[in-house]
Amino acid sequence: MPDTATPSVLFVCVHNAGRSQMAAAFLTHLAGDRVQVRSAGSAPADTVNPAVVEAMAEAGIDIRAEVPKVLTAEAVQASDVVITMGCGDTCPVFPGKRYLDWQLPDPAGQGVEAVRPIRDEIEARVRRLIDDIAAVGLPRTL
C-alpha cells in the first residue's frame, strides 16, 4: 500500500523501455525517498533500450536491472501525478490526478548519440517537476 504522505509520480510511455525509464531513474536519483516513483508502458517491451541504459550510465545512473512494466489502472490510481510520453488515449484518466504530457522524441531504434539529447531534456524536465510538485503543495514537498 502506498505511503499517502509521500508524493507519487507515474511516468508512462508506450514501451516503458526509454523515456519513462529515464524519467523515473532521474526522479529517483534526484529526489530519493521523498517521492514514490513508478513507470509503466501501454505496450511494454521485453527489455529496456540498450542505448538508454548506456546514456543513463554516462549520467551516473545505472538502470541495467530495470524491466519494462505494464500500465495498470491501479498504478494510475495510486499516483498523484501522471506524466505521459506518447501513450495517447491508452492511459486511464481518474479524477483528482494531475496529468502532464511531455512531448519527447522516442529513442526506440536510436543510438546513444540520439538518446543523449532526449536524456538531457528529460533530466531538465524532472528537475522542474521537483520544483513544481513542491509549489503545488502535494502532501510532502520534495
mmCIF file of all heavy atoms in Angstrom, residues 77-117:
data_model
loop_
_atom_site.group_PDB
_atom_site.id
_atom_site.type_symbol
_atom_site.label_atom_id
_atom_site.label_comp_id
_atom_site.label_asym_id
_atom_site.label_seq_id
_atom_site.Cartn_x
_atom_site.Cartn_y
_atom_site.Cartn_z
ATOM 1 N N GLN A 77 -4.200 5.084 -10.322
ATOM 2 C CA GLN A 77 -4.970 5.476 -9.134
ATOM 3 C C GLN A 77 -4.065 5.761 -7.944
ATOM 4 O O GLN A 77 -4.374 6.621 -7.127
ATOM 5 C CB GLN A 77 -5.970 4.380 -8.762
ATOM 6 C CG GLN A 77 -7.147 4.324 -9.697
ATOM 7 C CD GLN A 77 -8.123 3.234 -9.315
ATOM 8 O OE1 GLN A 77 -7.749 2.071 -9.172
ATOM 9 N NE2 GLN A 77 -9.379 3.605 -9.141
ATOM 10 N N ALA A 78 -2.939 5.074 -7.849
ATOM 11 C CA ALA A 78 -2.032 5.230 -6.706
ATOM 12 C C ALA A 78 -1.077 6.412 -6.874
ATOM 13 O O ALA A 78 -0.273 6.672 -5.983
ATOM 14 C CB ALA A 78 -1.239 3.939 -6.501
ATOM 15 N N SER A 79 -1.173 7.138 -7.983
ATOM 16 C CA SER A 79 -0.228 8.224 -8.264
ATOM 17 C C SER A 79 -0.900 9.581 -8.155
ATOM 18 O O SER A 79 -2.063 9.741 -8.518
ATOM 19 C CB SER A 79 0.349 8.041 -9.670
ATOM 20 O OG SER A 79 1.021 6.798 -9.766
ATOM 21 N N ASP A 80 -0.150 10.560 -7.648
ATOM 22 C CA ASP A 80 -0.637 11.943 -7.586
ATOM 23 C C ASP A 80 -0.478 12.639 -8.929
ATOM 24 O O ASP A 80 -1.322 13.423 -9.344
ATOM 25 C CB ASP A 80 0.151 12.734 -6.533
ATOM 26 C CG ASP A 80 -0.050 12.180 -5.134
ATOM 27 O OD1 ASP A 80 -1.207 12.030 -4.722
ATOM 28 O OD2 ASP A 80 0.968 11.895 -4.470
ATOM 29 N N VAL A 81 0.644 12.364 -9.598
ATOM 30 C CA VAL A 81 0.962 12.992 -10.880
ATOM 31 C C VAL A 81 1.232 11.882 -11.888
ATOM 32 O O VAL A 81 1.989 10.948 -11.604
ATOM 33 C CB VAL A 81 2.210 13.905 -10.771
ATOM 34 C CG1 VAL A 81 2.542 14.537 -12.118
ATOM 35 C CG2 VAL A 81 2.010 14.965 -9.702
ATOM 36 N N VAL A 82 0.605 11.982 -13.063
ATOM 37 C CA VAL A 82 0.806 11.023 -14.144
ATOM 38 C C VAL A 82 1.371 11.790 -15.333
ATOM 39 O O VAL A 82 0.737 12.725 -15.821
ATOM 40 C CB VAL A 82 -0.506 10.322 -14.530
ATOM 41 C CG1 VAL A 82 -0.283 9.340 -15.671
ATOM 42 C CG2 VAL A 82 -1.121 9.619 -13.319
ATOM 43 N N ILE A 83 2.560 11.386 -15.759
ATOM 44 C CA ILE A 83 3.207 12.062 -16.880
ATOM 45 C C ILE A 83 3.286 11.079 -18.040
ATOM 46 O O ILE A 83 3.933 10.037 -17.944
ATOM 47 C CB ILE A 83 4.606 12.562 -16.495
ATOM 48 C CG1 ILE A 83 4.471 13.571 -15.346
ATOM 49 C CG2 ILE A 83 5.305 13.174 -17.707
ATOM 50 C CD1 ILE A 83 5.757 14.036 -14.765
ATOM 51 N N THR A 84 2.582 11.428 -19.119
ATOM 52 C CA THR A 84 2.577 10.583 -20.298
ATOM 53 C C THR A 84 3.590 11.096 -21.306
ATOM 54 O O THR A 84 3.868 12.293 -21.385
ATOM 55 C CB THR A 84 1.179 10.526 -20.933
ATOM 56 O OG1 THR A 84 0.769 11.851 -21.288
ATOM 57 C CG2 THR A 84 0.161 9.919 -19.967
ATOM 58 N N MET A 85 4.117 10.159 -22.068
ATOM 59 C CA MET A 85 5.107 10.471 -23.102
ATOM 60 C C MET A 85 4.777 9.653 -24.332
ATOM 61 O O MET A 85 5.472 8.720 -24.669
ATOM 62 C CB MET A 85 6.510 10.131 -22.594
ATOM 63 C CG MET A 85 6.903 10.848 -21.340
ATOM 64 S SD MET A 85 8.487 10.245 -20.752
ATOM 65 C CE MET A 85 8.357 10.682 -19.035
ATOM 66 N N GLY A 86 3.644 9.976 -24.939
ATOM 67 C CA GLY A 86 3.273 9.301 -26.173
ATOM 68 C C GLY A 86 2.363 8.103 -26.026
ATOM 69 O O GLY A 86 2.203 7.348 -26.966
ATOM 70 N N CYS A 87 1.732 7.911 -24.855
ATOM 71 C CA CYS A 87 0.835 6.751 -24.735
ATOM 72 C C CYS A 87 -0.566 7.077 -25.226
ATOM 73 O O CYS A 87 -1.410 6.201 -25.343
ATOM 74 C CB CYS A 87 0.815 6.188 -23.322
ATOM 75 S SG CYS A 87 -0.185 7.067 -22.126
ATOM 76 N N GLY A 88 -0.822 8.339 -25.507
ATOM 77 C CA GLY A 88 -2.110 8.731 -26.085
ATOM 78 C C GLY A 88 -3.300 8.384 -25.214
ATOM 79 O O GLY A 88 -3.255 8.516 -23.997
ATOM 80 N N ASP A 89 -4.358 7.930 -25.850
ATOM 81 C CA ASP A 89 -5.610 7.654 -25.154
ATOM 82 C C ASP A 89 -5.599 6.361 -24.362
ATOM 83 O O ASP A 89 -6.585 6.036 -23.705
ATOM 84 C CB ASP A 89 -6.765 7.607 -26.163
ATOM 85 C CG ASP A 89 -7.008 8.962 -26.797
ATOM 86 O OD1 ASP A 89 -6.626 9.983 -26.180
ATOM 87 O OD2 ASP A 89 -7.566 8.992 -27.908
ATOM 88 N N THR A 90 -4.518 5.586 -24.397
ATOM 89 C CA THR A 90 -4.494 4.323 -23.668
ATOM 90 C C THR A 90 -4.268 4.515 -22.176
ATOM 91 O O THR A 90 -4.442 3.586 -21.412
ATOM 92 C CB THR A 90 -3.400 3.378 -24.210
ATOM 93 O OG1 THR A 90 -2.131 3.994 -24.049
ATOM 94 C CG2 THR A 90 -3.645 3.045 -25.674
ATOM 95 N N CYS A 91 -3.898 5.708 -21.761
ATOM 96 C CA CYS A 91 -3.664 5.964 -20.344
ATOM 97 C C CYS A 91 -4.997 6.264 -19.657
ATOM 98 O O CYS A 91 -5.695 7.196 -20.044
ATOM 99 C CB CYS A 91 -2.707 7.146 -20.186
ATOM 100 S SG CYS A 91 -2.172 7.391 -18.488
ATOM 101 N N PRO A 92 -5.363 5.468 -18.647
ATOM 102 C CA PRO A 92 -6.624 5.730 -17.958
ATOM 103 C C PRO A 92 -6.600 7.060 -17.209
ATOM 104 O O PRO A 92 -5.565 7.479 -16.708
ATOM 105 C CB PRO A 92 -6.769 4.561 -16.977
ATOM 106 C CG PRO A 92 -5.432 3.926 -16.894
ATOM 107 C CD PRO A 92 -4.647 4.334 -18.106
ATOM 108 N N VAL A 93 -7.749 7.712 -17.162
ATOM 109 C CA VAL A 93 -7.860 9.019 -16.505
ATOM 110 C C VAL A 93 -8.791 8.884 -15.308
ATOM 111 O O VAL A 93 -9.895 8.359 -15.428
ATOM 112 C CB VAL A 93 -8.395 10.081 -17.492
ATOM 113 C CG1 VAL A 93 -8.605 11.408 -16.785
ATOM 114 C CG2 VAL A 93 -7.435 10.235 -18.664
ATOM 115 N N PHE A 94 -8.325 9.361 -14.154
ATOM 116 C CA PHE A 94 -9.110 9.338 -12.928
ATOM 117 C C PHE A 94 -9.191 10.748 -12.369
ATOM 118 O O PHE A 94 -8.218 11.505 -12.432
ATOM 119 C CB PHE A 94 -8.471 8.409 -11.886
ATOM 120 C CG PHE A 94 -8.488 6.968 -12.283
ATOM 121 C CD1 PHE A 94 -7.384 6.386 -12.885
ATOM 122 C CD2 PHE A 94 -9.617 6.190 -12.076
ATOM 123 C CE1 PHE A 94 -7.391 5.059 -13.259
ATOM 124 C CE2 PHE A 94 -9.629 4.864 -12.457
ATOM 125 C CZ PHE A 94 -8.522 4.288 -13.044
ATOM 126 N N PRO A 95 -10.326 11.106 -11.794
ATOM 127 C CA PRO A 95 -10.453 12.438 -11.189
ATOM 128 C C PRO A 95 -9.448 12.613 -10.052
ATOM 129 O O PRO A 95 -9.086 11.652 -9.371
ATOM 130 C CB PRO A 95 -11.878 12.452 -10.639
ATOM 131 C CG PRO A 95 -12.572 11.280 -11.217
ATOM 132 C CD PRO A 95 -11.525 10.304 -11.670
ATOM 133 N N GLY A 96 -9.022 13.854 -9.876
ATOM 134 C CA GLY A 96 -8.140 14.176 -8.757
ATOM 135 C C GLY A 96 -6.670 13.939 -9.014
ATOM 136 O O GLY A 96 -5.842 14.202 -8.147
ATOM 137 N N LYS A 97 -6.329 13.446 -10.182
ATOM 138 C CA LYS A 97 -4.924 13.229 -10.532
ATOM 139 C C LYS A 97 -4.454 14.404 -11.378
ATOM 140 O O LYS A 97 -5.224 15.029 -12.088
ATOM 141 C CB LYS A 97 -4.740 11.935 -11.334
ATOM 142 C CG LYS A 97 -5.312 10.712 -10.669
ATOM 143 C CD LYS A 97 -4.615 10.413 -9.382
ATOM 144 C CE LYS A 97 -5.315 9.283 -8.638
ATOM 145 N NZ LYS A 97 -4.813 9.128 -7.302
ATOM 146 N N ARG A 98 -3.199 14.691 -11.316
ATOM 147 C CA ARG A 98 -2.615 15.737 -12.159
ATOM 148 C C ARG A 98 -1.954 15.043 -13.341
ATOM 149 O O ARG A 98 -1.108 14.172 -13.156
ATOM 150 C CB ARG A 98 -1.592 16.525 -11.361
ATOM 151 C CG ARG A 98 -0.977 17.623 -12.171
ATOM 152 C CD ARG A 98 -0.320 18.649 -11.259
ATOM 153 N NE ARG A 98 0.219 19.696 -12.089
ATOM 154 C CZ ARG A 98 1.451 20.153 -11.983
ATOM 155 N NH1 ARG A 98 2.242 19.692 -11.048
ATOM 156 N NH2 ARG A 98 1.859 21.102 -12.781
ATOM 157 N N TYR A 99 -2.355 15.420 -14.548
ATOM 158 C CA TYR A 99 -1.825 14.818 -15.764
ATOM 159 C C TYR A 99 -0.982 15.823 -16.531
ATOM 160 O O TYR A 99 -1.394 16.973 -16.707
ATOM 161 C CB TYR A 99 -2.963 14.322 -16.667
ATOM 162 C CG TYR A 99 -3.685 13.138 -16.093
ATOM 163 C CD1 TYR A 99 -4.756 13.312 -15.220
ATOM 164 C CD2 TYR A 99 -3.284 11.844 -16.385
ATOM 165 C CE1 TYR A 99 -5.410 12.224 -14.667
ATOM 166 C CE2 TYR A 99 -3.936 10.750 -15.837
ATOM 167 C CZ TYR A 99 -4.996 10.949 -14.978
ATOM 168 O OH TYR A 99 -5.639 9.871 -14.429
ATOM 169 N N LEU A 100 0.184 15.377 -16.975
ATOM 170 C CA LEU A 100 1.053 16.168 -17.828
ATOM 171 C C LEU A 100 1.425 15.297 -19.022
ATOM 172 O O LEU A 100 1.571 14.077 -18.887
ATOM 173 C CB LEU A 100 2.333 16.575 -17.089
ATOM 174 C CG LEU A 100 2.169 17.391 -15.817
ATOM 175 C CD1 LEU A 100 3.503 17.512 -15.092
ATOM 176 C CD2 LEU A 100 1.613 18.763 -16.144
ATOM 177 N N ASP A 101 1.591 15.911 -20.187
ATOM 178 C CA ASP A 101 2.041 15.183 -21.362
ATOM 179 C C ASP A 101 3.338 15.811 -21.833
ATOM 180 O O ASP A 101 3.362 16.988 -22.195
ATOM 181 C CB ASP A 101 0.984 15.222 -22.468
ATOM 182 C CG ASP A 101 1.376 14.342 -23.638
ATOM 183 O OD1 ASP A 101 1.866 13.215 -23.414
ATOM 184 O OD2 ASP A 101 1.219 14.793 -24.795
ATOM 185 N N TRP A 102 4.403 15.041 -21.769
ATOM 186 C CA TRP A 102 5.703 15.516 -22.215
ATOM 187 C C TRP A 102 5.923 15.020 -23.640
ATOM 188 O O TRP A 102 6.057 13.817 -23.865
ATOM 189 C CB TRP A 102 6.818 15.002 -21.311
ATOM 190 C CG TRP A 102 6.864 15.633 -19.949
ATOM 191 C CD1 TRP A 102 6.060 16.621 -19.451
ATOM 192 C CD2 TRP A 102 7.777 15.309 -18.901
ATOM 193 N NE1 TRP A 102 6.426 16.934 -18.167
ATOM 194 C CE2 TRP A 102 7.474 16.142 -17.794
ATOM 195 C CE3 TRP A 102 8.819 14.398 -18.776
ATOM 196 C CZ2 TRP A 102 8.180 16.092 -16.599
ATOM 197 C CZ3 TRP A 102 9.518 14.341 -17.579
ATOM 198 C CH2 TRP A 102 9.213 15.180 -16.509
ATOM 199 N N GLN A 103 5.962 15.940 -24.592
ATOM 200 C CA GLN A 103 6.239 15.602 -25.987
ATOM 201 C C GLN A 103 7.749 15.486 -26.154
ATOM 202 O O GLN A 103 8.461 16.482 -26.118
ATOM 203 C CB GLN A 103 5.674 16.681 -26.909
ATOM 204 C CG GLN A 103 4.168 16.805 -26.851
ATOM 205 C CD GLN A 103 3.468 15.572 -27.401
ATOM 206 O OE1 GLN A 103 3.868 15.006 -28.399
ATOM 207 N NE2 GLN A 103 2.415 15.159 -26.718
ATOM 208 N N LEU A 104 8.212 14.261 -26.299
ATOM 209 C CA LEU A 104 9.639 13.986 -26.443
ATOM 210 C C LEU A 104 9.835 12.965 -27.560
ATOM 211 O O LEU A 104 9.006 12.073 -27.732
ATOM 212 C CB LEU A 104 10.204 13.386 -25.147
ATOM 213 C CG LEU A 104 10.181 14.271 -23.910
ATOM 214 C CD1 LEU A 104 10.313 13.434 -22.651
ATOM 215 C CD2 LEU A 104 11.315 15.281 -23.999
ATOM 216 N N PRO A 105 10.931 13.058 -28.295
ATOM 217 C CA PRO A 105 11.200 12.050 -29.320
ATOM 218 C C PRO A 105 11.336 10.666 -28.691
ATOM 219 O O PRO A 105 11.814 10.525 -27.565
ATOM 220 C CB PRO A 105 12.530 12.491 -29.929
ATOM 221 C CG PRO A 105 12.717 13.908 -29.513
ATOM 222 C CD PRO A 105 11.959 14.089 -28.234
ATOM 223 N N ASP A 106 10.920 9.652 -29.431
ATOM 224 C CA ASP A 106 11.024 8.272 -28.966
ATOM 225 C C ASP A 106 12.432 7.754 -29.269
ATOM 226 O O ASP A 106 12.870 7.797 -30.419
ATOM 227 C CB ASP A 106 9.981 7.416 -29.679
ATOM 228 C CG ASP A 106 9.879 6.005 -29.125
ATOM 229 O OD1 ASP A 106 10.752 5.590 -28.333
ATOM 230 O OD2 ASP A 106 8.920 5.313 -29.498
ATOM 231 N N PRO A 107 13.168 7.272 -28.255
ATOM 232 C CA PRO A 107 14.518 6.780 -28.502
ATOM 233 C C PRO A 107 14.571 5.372 -29.106
ATOM 234 O O PRO A 107 15.654 4.875 -29.400
ATOM 235 C CB PRO A 107 15.160 6.797 -27.110
ATOM 236 C CG PRO A 107 14.021 6.615 -26.178
ATOM 237 C CD PRO A 107 12.839 7.310 -26.827
ATOM 238 N N ALA A 108 13.421 4.743 -29.327
ATOM 239 C CA ALA A 108 13.399 3.382 -29.879
ATOM 240 C C ALA A 108 14.156 3.335 -31.202
ATOM 241 O O ALA A 108 13.952 4.162 -32.083
ATOM 242 C CB ALA A 108 11.966 2.913 -30.078
ATOM 243 N N GLY A 109 15.063 2.378 -31.307
ATOM 244 C CA GLY A 109 15.820 2.186 -32.528
ATOM 245 C C GLY A 109 16.934 3.194 -32.759
ATOM 246 O O GLY A 109 17.590 3.168 -33.798
ATOM 247 N N GLN A 110 17.158 4.078 -31.800
ATOM 248 C CA GLN A 110 18.185 5.122 -31.926
ATOM 249 C C GLN A 110 19.462 4.696 -31.206
ATOM 250 O O GLN A 110 19.414 3.949 -30.229
ATOM 251 C CB GLN A 110 17.693 6.433 -31.305
ATOM 252 C CG GLN A 110 16.402 6.955 -31.877
ATOM 253 C CD GLN A 110 16.566 7.420 -33.315
ATOM 254 O OE1 GLN A 110 17.576 8.012 -33.682
ATOM 255 N NE2 GLN A 110 15.567 7.128 -34.132
ATOM 256 N N GLY A 111 20.574 5.228 -31.664
ATOM 257 C CA GLY A 111 21.846 5.004 -30.992
ATOM 258 C C GLY A 111 22.006 5.962 -29.823
ATOM 259 O O GLY A 111 21.206 6.887 -29.628
ATOM 260 N N VAL A 112 23.060 5.753 -29.050
ATOM 261 C CA VAL A 112 23.278 6.566 -27.853
ATOM 262 C C VAL A 112 23.450 8.048 -28.197
ATOM 263 O O VAL A 112 23.045 8.915 -27.417
ATOM 264 C CB VAL A 112 24.457 6.015 -27.012
ATOM 265 C CG1 VAL A 112 25.792 6.252 -27.699
ATOM 266 C CG2 VAL A 112 24.446 6.607 -25.614
ATOM 267 N N GLU A 113 23.993 8.351 -29.379
ATOM 268 C CA GLU A 113 24.169 9.755 -29.771
ATOM 269 C C GLU A 113 22.821 10.465 -29.861
ATOM 270 O O GLU A 113 22.702 11.634 -29.494
ATOM 271 C CB GLU A 113 24.905 9.862 -31.117
ATOM 272 C CG GLU A 113 26.287 9.257 -31.125
ATOM 273 C CD GLU A 113 26.279 7.728 -31.282
ATOM 274 O OE1 GLU A 113 25.274 7.155 -31.762
ATOM 275 O OE2 GLU A 113 27.275 7.107 -30.896
ATOM 276 N N ALA A 114 21.807 9.770 -30.362
ATOM 277 C CA ALA A 114 20.470 10.353 -30.475
ATOM 278 C C ALA A 114 19.744 10.368 -29.138
ATOM 279 O O ALA A 114 18.866 11.205 -28.903
ATOM 280 C CB ALA A 114 19.646 9.573 -31.504
ATOM 281 N N VAL A 115 20.109 9.455 -28.247
ATOM 282 C CA VAL A 115 19.446 9.361 -26.942
ATOM 283 C C VAL A 115 19.932 10.449 -25.988
ATOM 284 O O VAL A 115 19.161 10.940 -25.165
ATOM 285 C CB VAL A 115 19.637 7.948 -26.333
ATOM 286 C CG1 VAL A 115 19.107 7.888 -24.903
ATOM 287 C CG2 VAL A 115 18.958 6.900 -27.207
ATOM 288 N N ARG A 116 21.179 10.853 -26.102
ATOM 289 C CA ARG A 116 21.743 11.845 -25.163
ATOM 290 C C ARG A 116 20.909 13.122 -25.060
ATOM 291 O O ARG A 116 20.604 13.568 -23.949
ATOM 292 C CB ARG A 116 23.177 12.184 -25.538
ATOM 293 C CG ARG A 116 24.155 11.098 -25.203
ATOM 294 C CD ARG A 116 25.585 11.506 -25.543
ATOM 295 N NE ARG A 116 26.461 10.375 -25.383
ATOM 296 C CZ ARG A 116 27.183 9.840 -26.370
ATOM 297 N NH1 ARG A 116 27.167 10.367 -27.583
ATOM 298 N NH2 ARG A 116 27.951 8.795 -26.135
ATOM 299 N N PRO A 117 20.518 13.777 -26.171
ATOM 300 C CA PRO A 117 19.716 14.999 -26.012
ATOM 301 C C PRO A 117 18.339 14.729 -25.406
ATOM 302 O O PRO A 117 17.805 15.566 -24.678
ATOM 303 C CB PRO A 117 19.610 15.576 -27.423
ATOM 304 C CG PRO A 117 20.142 14.548 -28.348
ATOM 305 C CD PRO A 117 20.917 13.552 -27.555
#
